[in-house]
Amino acid sequence: MQYSQLSALIRQKQSMLCVGLDSDLHHIPAHLLRSPDPIFEFNKQIIDATYPYAVAYKPNLAFYEALGARGWDSLARTMEYMPKDVFRIADAKRGDIGNTAALYARTFFETLHFDAVTLSPYMGKDSITPFLEYPDKWVIVLARTSNAGGADFQELKLQDGRHLYEAVIQKSSQWSSHERMMYVVGATQSEAIRHIRQLIPKHFLLVPGVGAQGGDLRAVLQYGSNEHGGLLINSSRGIIYASNGQDFAQVASKVAQALQEEIKQIMQW
Ligand SMILES: O=c1ccn([C@@H]2O[C@H](COP(=O)(O)O)[C@@H](O)[C@H]2O)c(=O)[nH]1
């Protein structure tokens, strides 16, 4: 999906909502455990219920890899089922030397047909560029993450006074354009969002941390949005586990709708 298409999708759906598919056998409703592929069945119903309100979906690979081959099957089925007109993010947080990175790129872009994959910048340019060889695919680089420990390294001060996360953004944004790269910034880090938006006015930001982690949606939108939308705002547990009863999909739909309406209202669309 191209930058202009993502921006148009946001305008059309009046939403920046990304639904996180952190689907866990220990948390999905018990009645689904009787189906042949409970994780796929859960994801399918969550996607159907939230599709009118979401522009993106983000399966987190940890939840699938933990189940071994069964988890990969559930993920592959989920990707086959997922509508093609949403932005599909593999939250994999990969990063390795070039020839290994090329195989990760093949996994997520060719085998599983994601539009984007999250990457750790720690190993530098040659760990990122193999992903950029795929036209129309995106990399999403970790910048200032939502967790408290994110400060341990990301906020280290360099000799020139910049935080490490700023240096990561300024350097890596030279490797491709805003049409192929995004950055992860936690919703819990509203000051960083404000600062990052000044550094990179055109880039999209993937913002996890509203809902269960308590990030401030209004501040995210106020500081992070731009004229193209500029934000994908993720909520995982807050939507998919809003109910663990028979009504889980209806409740997920209501929570997703409420978030979309809140985004629309704050953006004054
Ligand atoms: O900085 C980051 C980067 C990634 N995540 C991931 O996003 C979701 C958030 O889930 P919630 O249930 O909405 O808290 C999850 O997959 C994280 O691994 C993040 O939270 N922060």
Side-chain angles (χ1 to χ4, degrees):
M1 183 180 288
Q2 292 176 0
Y3 187 95
S4 58
Q5 291 172 308
L6 180 57
S7 183
L9 181 62
I10 287 172
R11 267 201 312 280
Q12 180 215 323
K13 283 194 162 174
Q14 300 192 308
S15 176
M16 297 168 172
L17 180 62
C18 172
V19 176
L21 298 174
D22 295 7
S23 308
D24 181 344
L25 282 178
H26 297 104
H27 288 105
I28 67 174
H31 71 276
L32 293 181
L33 299 177
R34 292 191 292 271
S35 79
D37 184 345
I39 293 291
F40 170 65
E41 188 55 38
F42 177 73
N43 287 349
K44 178 174 175 293
Q45 293 195 40
I46 291 286
I47 291 168
D48 289 346
T50 57
Y51 175 72
Y53 314 111
V55 294
Y57 288 90
K58 182 180 78 61
N60 186 314
L61 267 288
F63 291 82
Y64 303 87
E65 289 172 331
L67 299 175
R70 277 178 70 201
W72 275 97
D73 286 348
S74 304
L75 180 61
R77 260 184 222 122
T78 299
M79 290 308 293
E80 271 166 36
Y81 184 76
M82 198 178 284
K84 306 295 173 263
D85 61 353
V86 291
F87 194 75
R88 296 159 297 172
I89 302 167
D91 192 355
K93 302 184 183 70
R94 295 303 200 262
D96 210 325
I97 61 169
N99 66 318
T100 310
L103 268 292
Y104 279 137
R106 199 191 298 170
T107 303
F108 294 115
F109 295 155
E110 292 185 40
T111 307
L112 289 169
H113 303 290
F114 281 100
D115 295 298
V117 59
T118 58
L119 300 178
S120 162
Y122 201 67
M123 287 181 71
K125 184 176 183 181
D126 56 334
S127 71
I128 306 279
T129 47
F131 295 87
L132 294 167
E133 280 166 22
Y134 289 79
D136 294 344
K137 303 286 184 183
W138 297 65
V139 302
I140 310 181
V141 176
L142 299 178
R144 179 62 180 94
T145 56
S146 63
N147 57 320
D152 290 345
F153 300 122
Q154 296 156 17
E155 296 214 339
L156 282 180
K157 281 269 181 93
L158 305 181
Q159 278 183 336
D160 62 12
R162 288 180 302 166
H163 287 120
L164 182 58
Y165 80 79
E166 299 171 63
V168 164
I169 290 171
Q170 286 175 323
K171 180 116 186 151
S172 63
S173 60
Q174 295 166 14
W175 301 337
S176 186
S177 79
H178 64 277
E179 307 207 329
R180 306 287 306 287
M181 295 187 84
M182 300 187 190
Y183 290 91
V184 174
V185 194
T188 51
Q189 307 300 320
S190 46
E191 273 313 310
I193 293 177
R194 189 211 292 258
H195 183 52
I196 289 170
R197 183 45 82 215
Q198 286 162 358
L199 292 179
I200 43 170
K202 291 184 180 165
H203 284 74
F204 270 87
L205 307 178
L206 171 62
V207 183
V210 300
Q213 296 180 53
D216 180 348
L217 179 63
R218 185 171 288 275
V220 169
L221 290 163
Q222 187 186 338
Y223 299 149
S225 59
N226 65 18
E227 71 271 31
H228 304 287
L231 293 171
L232 295 175
I233 299 172
N234 182 83
S235 175
S236 305
R237 288 166 292 178
I239 293 176
I240 67 175
Y241 301 134
S243 160
N244 69 353
Q246 298 273 352
D247 63 350
F248 75 96
Q250 288 113 287
V251 178
S253 174
K254 287 213 164 69
V255 176
Q257 181 178 19
L259 259 174
Q260 180 263 329
E261 281 174 0
E262 204 179 339
I263 291 169
K264 181 177 161 192
Q265 182 249 320
I266 296 170
M267 291 299 292
Q268 301 186 324
W269 284 333

